[in-house]
Structure formats: structure tokens, C-alpha cells
């Protein structure tokens, strides 16, 4: 048994047949290896009475490693909580693209064995902190691994807002919204909206307007230490939101200010030895292989 990892947490997508099968295999295999295994409470019942059920915060407090079974969405949900703890996180892909999930669901044992024996690489991914201020007071906040997005509520329509970088006015915007993305999120919503891919080692954020009502507006990359402020026009409709990773929604009213900045928290991703980011891009995005 590795000296690096002693207590391992299992997290997964609830009520998903494939995920449950993988979690059961993981739980049995890890237990046979002599590791203490804790299972997140939402999926523990599906593994039977032998699974020790705890909440996500306890996994962060007690475990040395968390294994997330599912797609990137499950990884993002877990990461927003686990980033506040000094815990390694690795993913088993049961989703579609799986940019953040390295291990195959049907043959994880060999690769995971090497990781548990100490053959792994650590990659730190920074998070964003999104805050909504109203009349000078903080009304709500949350963190995002991928992106924070200002957008209309349930019905898409054009909104008006101003963008400031470090309190310097950059431009006003009429668009369907604005995406502020980390390098991690640059292969997600930002990419679909026409943003550039930022390699994970960059200390940068990308701002991508959503369907701007101008031909001259393009995505812009800024330093991750920058403070981004979006000032919502008082003439907008009431149903605006800031979405964090598409999961957490913060209500926004006309005249509100949205502050988006680099969080103090980082996600500690664990990769198998030899992890190659560009191989992941080629595989997930269907890029061409070498010609010679």
C-alpha cells in the first residue's frame, strides 16, 4: 500500500447504472488492497451496507485522495467543494468528453495501481470567485472551476453591461451575455462560443462575449490576477443570472455589479505518470494525428 494515500473517497453520479457498477468495483478493489474507503452519501446506498457513508465535506477532511466517477460535470461539482482541502482528485470517465477524467471505467486497475504506488503527476488548477454586489453590499457569491457566465434568465435576449478590468473601463457591451473562463474551462462553454484554448499552466482568464451585437468584438485574454467587474445596465430586464459551471446560479438585478477574480482555492488534480494535455485535446476534439 502506498505511503502517499491511506484513506480514499469515492464520489459519483447518483442513480446511474454504469457509475454504480464502477463504484462497486472500485470499493471492492480498494478494500482488498487495504485502503480505508469512504463513500459520498448520495451514492453510498447503491453500494450496499458495507459502504461507509459520509458527506462531501468529510471526504475533503478525512481523505488523501478522492476518486470521482462520472463526467466532467460530476468532477466540477466535487471540485468546487474539495478545492478548499489539500486533497488529490482523480476521475474515472463515465461521461462524454471527459477532459478532467483520466481513468477508463472498465480497466482502471492497472493505471490506478501505479498512481497509488506513487507514479503520478500533480497539476494545480485555479478557480474563479464570482460575487454579486448590490448598492455596495455583497449579496451572493460562489466559486467556479470552468467559468462564470452572466446571462439572461430563462429566455435568451440581449442585455447591456459594462466591462472593467482592474477598475479600468474596457468597453460597453450589448450581447446575450459574457463568459469569463479559466484555462480549465477554455475547452468547455468558452470554446463553443469561439474562445481560444488556454493551456492549463497559464495564469490567465479569457472573456468571451456571447453573440455580441457588433462585428468588432472578440474574446480577450487577461492576467489571472486581474479583477473583472461587470456593471449591469439599470435598463435591463429583471431576470438575469450569473452561473458558476452551469450548476450554481446567482440572481442578478439591473444595476448590480459582478466581481469575478481568481480564487485563493486550487484544485489538486492527480494524473497518471506521462499525462499529455495535447494527447487529451487530440482525442477529445478529434484533432489530426501526426503525418510522419
Amino acid at each position: 500500500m502506498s505511503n502517499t494515500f491511506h484513506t480514499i473517497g469515492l464520489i459519483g453520479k447518483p442513480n446511474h447504472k454504469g457509475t454504480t457498477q464502477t463504484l462497486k468495483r472500485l470499493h471492492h478493489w480498494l478494500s482488498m488492497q487495504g485502503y480505508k474507503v469512504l463513500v459520498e452519501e448520495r451514492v453510498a446506498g447503491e453500494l450496499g451496507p458495507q459502504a461507509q457513508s459520509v458527506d462531501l465535506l468529510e471526504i475533503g477532511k478525512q481523505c488523501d485522495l478522492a476518486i470521482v466517477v462520472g463526467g466532467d460535470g460530476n468532477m466540477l461539482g466535487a471540485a468546487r467543494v474539495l478545492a478548499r482541502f489539500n486533497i488529490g482528485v482523480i476521475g474515472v470517465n463515465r461521461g462524454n468528453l471527459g477532459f478532467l477524467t483520466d481513468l477508463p471505467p472498465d480497466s482502471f486497475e492497472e493505471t490506478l495501481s501505479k498512481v497509488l504506488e506513487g507514479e503520478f503527476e500533480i497539476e494545480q488548477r485555479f478557480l474563479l470567485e464570482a460575487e454579486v454586489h448590490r448598492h455596495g453590499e455583497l449579496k451572493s457569491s460562489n466559486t467556479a472551476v470552468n467559468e462564470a457566465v452572466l446571462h439572461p434568465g430563462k429566455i435568451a435576449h440581449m442585455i447591456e453591461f459594462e466591462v472593467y478590468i482592474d477598475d479600468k473601463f474596457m468597453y460597453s457591451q450589448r450581447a446575450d451575455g459574457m463568459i469569463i473562463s479559466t484555462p480549465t474551462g477554455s475547452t468547455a462553454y468558452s470554446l463553443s462560443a469561439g474562445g481560444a484554448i488556454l493551456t492549463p499552466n497559464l495564469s490567465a482568464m479569457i472573456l468571451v462575449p456571447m453573440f455580441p451585437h457588433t462585428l468588432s468584438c472578440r474574446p480577450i485574454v487577461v492576467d489571472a490576477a486581474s479583477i473583472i467587474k461587470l456593471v449591469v445596465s439599470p435598463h435591463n430586464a429583471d431576470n438575469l443570472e450569473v452561473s458558476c459551471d452551469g450548476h450554481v446560479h446567482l440572481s442578478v438585478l439591473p444595476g448590480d455589479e459582478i466581481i469575478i477574480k481568481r480564487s485563493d482555492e486550487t484544485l489538486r488534480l492527480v494524473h497518471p505518470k506521462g499525462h499529455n494535455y495535447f494527447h487529451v485535446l487530440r482525442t477529445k476534439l478529434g484533432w489530426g494525428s501526426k503525418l510522419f
Side-chain angles (χ1 to χ4, degrees):
M1 189 170 75
S2 168
N3 293 325
T4 304
F5 306 117
H6 304 282
T7 305
I8 298 176
L10 297 182
I11 303 163
K13 184 177 182 179
N15 305 312
H16 185 274
K17 184 178 179 181
T19 297
T20 301
Q21 291 174 348
T22 302
L23 286 169
K24 286 181 177 178
R25 282 181 57 195
L26 274 166
H27 187 275
H28 175 74
W29 186 79
L30 290 168
S31 299
M32 294 298 292
Q33 302 291 319
Y35 293 95
K36 180 180 179 181
V37 183
L38 305 180
V39 184
E40 204 263 328
E41 58 188 0
R42 296 184 305 156
V43 294
E46 302 172 36
L47 273 60
Q50 73 277 9
Q52 185 175 345
S53 174
V54 296
D55 62 27
L56 197 53
L57 287 174
E58 284 302 312
I59 286 180
K61 293 174 183 176
Q62 297 188 41
C63 295
D64 312 300
L65 177 71
I67 302 176
V68 182
V69 182
D72 283 344
N74 300 103
M75 176 67 86
L76 295 173
R80 283 195 303 275
V81 176
L82 297 178
R84 71 189 72 167
F85 304 98
N86 187 30
I87 176 176
V89 183
I90 192 169
V92 179
N93 187 21
R94 273 289 183 183
N96 295 317
L97 286 175
F99 280 96
L100 297 175
T101 49
D102 292 332
L103 302 177
D106 300 319
S107 56
F108 60 79
E109 289 89 351
E110 181 180 355
T111 306
L112 185 55
S113 289
K114 292 180 180 179
V115 169
L116 296 176
E117 289 167 3
E119 296 184 34
F120 60 85
E121 300 172 2
I122 292 291
E123 185 178 43
Q124 301 284 357
R125 302 284 186 97
F126 75 83
L127 280 68
L128 297 177
E129 184 172 341
E131 302 174 347
V132 177
H133 294 257
R134 188 169 302 146
H135 306 304
E137 295 184 5
L138 176 65
K139 302 301 293 185
S140 59
S141 66
N142 216 292
T143 55
V145 180
N146 269 358
E147 72 277 309
V149 183
L150 171 66
H151 62 94
K154 297 180 180 179
I155 301 175
H157 60 83
M158 189 178 299
I159 60 176
E160 296 181 350
F161 54 93
E162 294 178 342
V163 182
Y164 294 79
I165 307 294
D166 294 329
D167 279 331
K168 296 180 176 66
F169 176 72
M170 185 167 73
Y171 56 38
S172 59
Q173 191 67 259
R174 291 184 178 91
D176 282 9
M178 174 68 84
I179 302 168
I180 296 95
S181 171
T182 65
T184 302
S186 69
T187 53
Y189 197 14
S190 169
L191 181 65
S192 299
I197 295 175
L198 307 182
T199 55
N201 59 324
L202 286 175
S203 179
M205 298 179 285
I206 183 168
L207 286 72
V208 184
M210 300 164 59
F211 305 104
H213 196 62
T214 173
L215 297 178
S216 62
C217 189
R218 293 292 183 267
I220 183 169
V221 177
V222 300
D223 190 275
S226 301
I227 307 296
I228 299 168
K229 179 170 68 174
L230 309 179
V231 180
V232 179
S233 167
H235 305 298
N236 284 303
D238 290 349
N239 56 333
L240 303 181
E241 293 179 344
V242 170
S243 296
C244 298
D245 294 335
H247 290 193
V248 180
H249 304 282
L250 310 177
S251 178
V252 175
L253 294 179
D256 284 356
E257 295 185 354
I258 298 101
I259 304 295
I260 297 169
K261 57 188 176 181
R262 180 175 183 158
S263 171
D264 294 332
E265 300 171 354
T266 59
L267 172 62
R268 191 166 172 254
L269 274 182
V270 175
H271 296 297
K273 203 76 172 178
H275 171 78
N276 185 323
Y277 178 71
F278 298 105
H279 172 74
V280 174
L281 290 183
R282 285 197 307 274
T283 303
K284 306 301 182 181
L285 299 179
W287 286 2
S289 300
K290 292 181 68 174
L291 297 176
F292 53 88

